[in-house]
Amino acid sequence: MSELTLSDINQAGKRVIKEVKDIQLYIDGAFVNAENHEQFDNYNPFTNEKINKVASGAEADIDKAVKAARKAFKGDWGSLSQNERLSYIYKIADLIDEHIEEIAPLESYDTGLPISQTKKMVARAAHNFRFYAEMVKSRLVGDAYQVDNDFLNYTIHKPVGVAGLITPWNAPFMLETWKIAPALATGNTVVLKPAEWSPLTANRLAEIIDKAGLPDGVFNVVHGYGETAGASLVAHEDVELISFTGETSTGSEIMKNGADTLKSFSMELGGKSPIIVFDDADFERAIDACTWGIFSFNGERCTANSRLYVHEDIASDFIAALKDRVENIVVGDPMKEDTQVGPLIHTKHYESVKSYLELAEEEGCQVISGSVPKEHSRGNFVAPTLLLNADTSMRVVQEEIFGPVIAVMTFKDEAEAVDLANNVRYGLAGYVWTKDLQRGHRVAQAVDSGMLWINSQNVRDLRTPFGGSKHSGIGREGGHYAFEFYTEVQIIHVALGEHRIPQFGKK
């Protein structure tokens, strides 16, 4: 694929945005209305104007989609060889690449994410499919256990069945493919329930997969609300797997609702990740990482470093540098190339984040925010914000705000830094900045988190496990770790000789 400029993407974006139509469900290889013919409105977070209407699926639509997925799993999809199946996965990746100039602006238009960031997300989405095709070919292998000349025992990986994927509204296209790619590559079929606040690129993905020519029923999309479509997917007896990314309390409710049918769950939940900056850290790089880690993706990022712990000896200078960065971050139209922070995705979420800023003042924080241009008053804008004078007891330090807001605190020594970092219910990610690598390793291993970066921002390696500890999730996806969720391991025992068999009842 030739390198696309943001100008190319913006030109294509103007065209595809004009062409946006109402969205249907995608079930059994066809775009269809919801059985109840209900729809909900989808809004542009930059202007709060209505974009389009979206079919609102419910129990009957989920049932249709699951039946189609089950039929494909038992039939056309399940009968394919691995090479035949993976050829479809590569084709999906190629088609995503061909449509980046359309998908990236749709994502920005629908979510408020800056287009300079959505372009990279969409490119990663194509890579997700290629990566898992290669991973299945190279790492989806079994083990052999020989017992002298008596037995050969070996394992194989089998697809589980119908995977129910419930995806979030932050970086929706990339995160949808993060689940869909391993599910399909390992041989499962899929029913996707995308977030209702970000339906545009989920629909475009359905169009791309339809164009790739997968057998009918292999991939299905049911738009709708969590309380109806999502709950029906979780409760359906023919859905074996539920992979969910979202808020912790919702994840807990999903597990309760799926317990009766003994589903397997993969849960990537909330975060309140710490960034710990020691006095010997590379100051400028730590500032860069800190600001990027909380203010990119408009702060709507599960792995965002939303708690800063900076050593007291450099705290004054570090906070001054953060203030300067906050004042100069470009807040504006997500479709413009120079925008760094756009609007929050929905008025409800905007009101939630704003309520936390009010709470921060009530709890005693000094709230320092950048500015939002007056011409953008219609949008769901929250400027990049620092919460100074914060402490661990405050709700704004304990609870996930999920916006461009960072609580700033200090520490005296290594032990205190670790204690403060671990004093929340979440344990998704963490970041440590120090030139003392022995200390870096000690602190990294002492912090309760599923993932931790030393002297780095959130740079992902698809080969590595992704997931959290404590209230931040259950299970791991990424690399071959995804196989533990998306496949069933079967052990085959083969007798090589005439081993002794007890002869009950023989005379």
Side-chain angles (χ1 to χ4, degrees), residues 250-389:
T250 305
S252 176
E253 192 66 24
I254 284 172
M255 293 186 71
K256 292 175 186 175
N257 293 340
D260 287 345
T261 49
L262 296 177
K263 288 178 170 52
S264 294
F265 293 99
S266 176
M267 295 278 162
E268 198 271 279
L269 307 175
K272 193 73 174 178
S273 300
I275 178 169
I276 302 170
V277 182
F278 285 91
D279 53 345
D280 67 339
D282 184 319
F283 191 93
E284 288 301 319
R285 289 181 61 78
I287 285 287
D288 289 341
C290 185
T291 53
W292 168 260
I294 185 60
F295 300 129
S296 59
F297 293 20
N298 301 342
E300 298 165 325
R301 181 176 194 152
C302 57
T303 54
N305 45 250
S306 52
R307 292 182 294 142
L308 167 63
Y309 298 103
V310 58
H311 193 277
E312 60 185 14
D313 288 351
I314 62 168
S316 179
D317 290 341
F318 203 86
I319 292 169
L322 277 178
K323 289 179 180 178
D324 185 63
R325 293 295 184 94
V326 162
E327 290 173 1
N328 289 286
I329 289 173
V330 180
V331 178
D333 184 347
M335 303 299 287
K336 288 189 175 180
E337 298 180 18
D338 63 343
T339 294
Q340 295 171 317
V341 172
L344 300 181
I345 190 164
H346 195 276
T347 53
K348 288 183 179 179
H349 186 54
Y350 164 81
E351 290 164 0
S352 172
V353 174
K354 292 290 283 186
S355 72
Y356 273 108
L357 299 187
E358 294 172 2
L359 175 63
E361 290 187 335
E362 293 172 8
E363 290 187 314
C365 288
Q366 180 185 1
V367 178
I368 296 178
S369 296
S371 59
V372 177
K374 291 182 180 179
E375 63 266 28
H376 300 328
S377 60
R378 291 188 299 165
N380 304 323
F381 283 95
V382 172
T385 300
L386 309 178
L387 305 183
L388 305 183
N389 305 325

Side-chain angles (χ1 to χ4, degrees), residues 131-144:
F131 172 82
Y132 274 107
E134 293 298 322
M135 187 61 65
V136 164
K137 286 196 293 186
S138 62
R139 290 296 299 269
L140 191 61
V141 294
D143 297 312

Side-chain angles (χ1 to χ4, degrees), residues 110-225:
D110 206 20
T111 65
L113 292 168
I115 197 164
S116 61
Q117 295 168 38
T118 60
K119 177 192 173 186
K120 295 175 182 177
M121 294 176 193
V122 174
R124 280 182 61 188
H127 183 55
N128 284 340
F129 281 97
R130 292 193 182 94
F131 172 82
Y132 274 107
E134 293 298 322
M135 187 61 65
V136 164
K137 286 196 293 186
S138 62
R139 290 296 299 269
L140 191 61
V141 294
D143 297 312
Y145 306 85
Q146 187 163 355
V147 183
D148 299 324
N149 292 319
D150 297 325
F151 276 93
L152 176 65
N153 307 318
Y154 66 92
T155 62
I156 61 172
H157 289 267
K158 301 168 70 172
V160 180
V162 179
L165 310 180
I166 303 175
T167 54
W169 44 257
N170 64 318
F173 191 81
M174 190 270 289
L175 293 176
E176 286 156 5
T177 64
W178 171 248
K179 296 179 186 294
I180 294 165
L184 293 181
T186 52
N188 299 284
T189 55
V190 165
V191 177
L192 172 68
K193 207 301 281 184
E196 59 268 26
W197 288 351
S198 55
L200 291 189
T201 53
N203 182 66
R204 182 51 57 96
L205 183 58
E207 293 172 343
I208 286 171
I209 292 180
D210 185 71
K211 188 175 179 181
L214 274 68
D216 292 347
V218 172
F219 177 73
N220 307 271
V221 181
V222 180
H223 299 276
Y225 295 104

Side-chain angles (χ1 to χ4, degrees), residues 21-194:
K21 299 176 182 178
D22 289 350
I23 288 175
Q24 296 176 296
L25 313 180
Y26 181 69
I27 298 175
D28 202 15
F31 290 92
V32 296
N33 294 324
E35 287 288 304
N36 58 16
H37 295 283
E38 290 186 3
Q39 296 176 305
F40 59 86
D41 293 332
N42 181 37
Y43 292 91
N44 173 9
F46 179 52
T47 63
N48 276 307
E49 296 173 342
K50 189 171 81 172
I51 295 175
N52 61 349
K53 288 183 175 293
V54 182
S56 185
E59 184 176 2
D61 307 289
I62 289 291
D63 188 56
K64 280 175 55 182
V66 172
K67 286 178 178 175
R70 174 64 60 195
K71 181 180 178 182
F73 180 73
K74 293 291 187 181
D76 292 345
W77 189 244
S79 65
L80 294 179
S81 70
Q82 184 184 93
N83 284 339
E84 289 172 329
R85 185 172 71 245
L86 296 183
S87 69
Y88 285 109
I89 307 303
Y90 285 118
K91 190 171 184 180
I92 294 169
D94 291 342
L95 287 169
I96 290 173
D97 276 341
E98 290 176 16
H99 292 277
I100 284 178
E101 78 279 7
E102 303 168 4
I103 301 168
L106 280 177
E107 189 95 313
S108 293
Y109 183 49
D110 206 20
T111 65
L113 292 168
I115 197 164
S116 61
Q117 295 168 38
T118 60
K119 177 192 173 186
K120 295 175 182 177
M121 294 176 193
V122 174
R124 280 182 61 188
H127 183 55
N128 284 340
F129 281 97
R130 292 193 182 94
F131 172 82
Y132 274 107
E134 293 298 322
M135 187 61 65
V136 164
K137 286 196 293 186
S138 62
R139 290 296 299 269
L140 191 61
V141 294
D143 297 312
Y145 306 85
Q146 187 163 355
V147 183
D148 299 324
N149 292 319
D150 297 325
F151 276 93
L152 176 65
N153 307 318
Y154 66 92
T155 62
I156 61 172
H157 289 267
K158 301 168 70 172
V160 180
V162 179
L165 310 180
I166 303 175
T167 54
W169 44 257
N170 64 318
F173 191 81
M174 190 270 289
L175 293 176
E176 286 156 5
T177 64
W178 171 248
K179 296 179 186 294
I180 294 165
L184 293 181
T186 52
N188 299 284
T189 55
V190 165
V191 177
L192 172 68
K193 207 301 281 184

